[in-house]
Amino acid sequence: GENVEQHPSTLSVQEGDSAVIKCTYSDSASNYFPWYKQELGKRPQLIIDIRSNVGEKKDQRIAVTLNKTAKHFSLHITETQPEDSAVYFCAASQYGNQFYFGTGTSLTVIP
Amino acid sequence: EAEVAQSPRYKITEKSQAVAFWCDPISGHATLYWYRQILGQGPELLVQFQDESVVDDSQLPKDRFSAERLKGVDSTLKIQPAELGDSAMYLCASSLVVGYEQYFGPGTRLTVT
């Protein structure tokens, strides 16, 4: 089955700096890669996703890049704000089936 | 804005007892997922439904867990008997169609004593 690894497990940045979280996957058949943000005690919420037919996708301060050859994808948050503090999960899926999640990255933005 | 509903939000049960969780997906969402999330880890898929049919239950411990979605709308996940290791957050999610955005419910926090 698919194996998704996520790094780092914890990340602290100063407000205004950028944050990068990386994930690798093992199954080359995976073709859908969402990123979720989970605040303490709340449900995971999709913040951005990318499909295997594109290499990069951007939404305001958030971007995701995908390298299919190397089987890794990354989340980039620019101009970080305290409200970006949360746990972020990456996931890999084949056509929306069998979602496999990473172990999460706890991001702290220091004001 | 429509949301996925789950109940109960919290459940404390003794080991060897039966426990059940309920999920009501967003109206019209054909695909429904049950996940288990242990503290400090990512969600782990237990079962996926497409309408009333199970698409994937390869990670569901079938000796004690069961799930159903009889009319292709709401769903129930049952554990019988509960074990200490079942303590976790149980999340339900739904999507309009397979391959599209999943919307998560608030989860049920299960504590087995």
Side-chain angles (χ1 to χ4, degrees):
Chain A
E2 174 68 280
N3 180 40
V4 177
E5 294 189 355
Q6 183 171 347
H7 300 279
S9 57
T10 60
L11 179 60
S12 292
V13 298
Q14 293 287 333
E15 183 177 358
D17 287 351
S18 296
V20 180
I21 303 170
K22 299 180 180 180
C23 286
T24 61
Y25 61 100
S26 59
D27 190 344
S28 56
S30 292
N31 59 2
Y32 175 59
F33 307 93
W35 284 90
Y36 292 86
K37 176 183 180 182
Q38 187 173 27
E39 297 177 61
L40 190 63
K42 296 189 176 180
R43 70 191 76 190
Q45 291 195 307
L46 180 74
I47 55 172
I48 196 166
D49 57 8
I50 191 167
R51 299 182 190 275
S52 59
N53 57 346
V54 298
E56 184 175 357
K57 183 176 178 180
K58 205 171 181 180
D59 183 4
Q60 299 182 337
R61 297 185 298 108
I62 295 172
V64 56
T65 57
L66 172 65
N67 184 326
K68 286 188 294 183
T69 303
K71 296 207 220 47
H72 67 71
F73 55 112
S74 300
L75 177 71
H76 305 254
I77 306 174
T78 59
E79 300 172 23
T80 54
Q81 302 168 1
E83 50 266 38
D84 293 330
S85 296
V87 178
Y88 291 81
F89 292 99
C90 63
S93 168
Q94 294 182 35
Y95 299 102
N97 293 315
Q98 295 183 324
F99 280 83
Y100 293 89
F101 283 78
T103 50
T105 296
S106 178
L107 173 64
T108 301
V109 180
I110 304 165
Chain B
E1 181 178 317
E3 293 187 334
V4 176
Q6 287 187 250
S7 67
R9 294 292 307 279
Y10 304 92
K11 180 70 178 179
I12 300 174
T13 191
E14 293 183 348
K15 64 180 182 179
S16 79
Q17 296 297 305
V19 64
F21 315 130
W22 177 78
C23 172
D24 191 13
I26 294 172
S27 178
H29 281 200
T31 310
L32 185 147
Y33 310 80
W34 281 104
Y35 291 91
R36 175 170 59 188
Q37 185 177 25
I38 297 170
L39 194 63
Q41 297 183 20
E44 174 195 16
L45 181 68
L46 293 174
V47 62
Q48 176 180 339
F49 288 92
Q50 181 66 29
D51 299 310
E52 67 276 9
S53 300
V54 173
V55 172
D56 181 9
D57 63 358
S58 57
Q59 302 301 311
L60 189 71
K62 298 181 188 64
D63 58 333
R64 298 185 300 107
F65 285 64
S66 64
E68 60 183 19
R69 193 184 184 199
L70 293 177
K71 295 183 179 179
V73 181
D74 58 337
S75 175
T76 302
L77 178 69
K78 296 179 181 177
I79 307 175
Q80 183 174 18
E83 295 180 354
L84 294 177
D86 296 332
S87 295
M89 175 74 83
Y90 290 82
L91 292 163
C92 177
S94 70
S95 63
L96 186 60
V97 294
V98 171
Y100 281 74
E101 177 179 353
Q102 290 185 66
Y103 294 85
F104 281 85
T108 296
R109 170 75 65 189
L110 172 67
T111 301
V112 182
T113 61

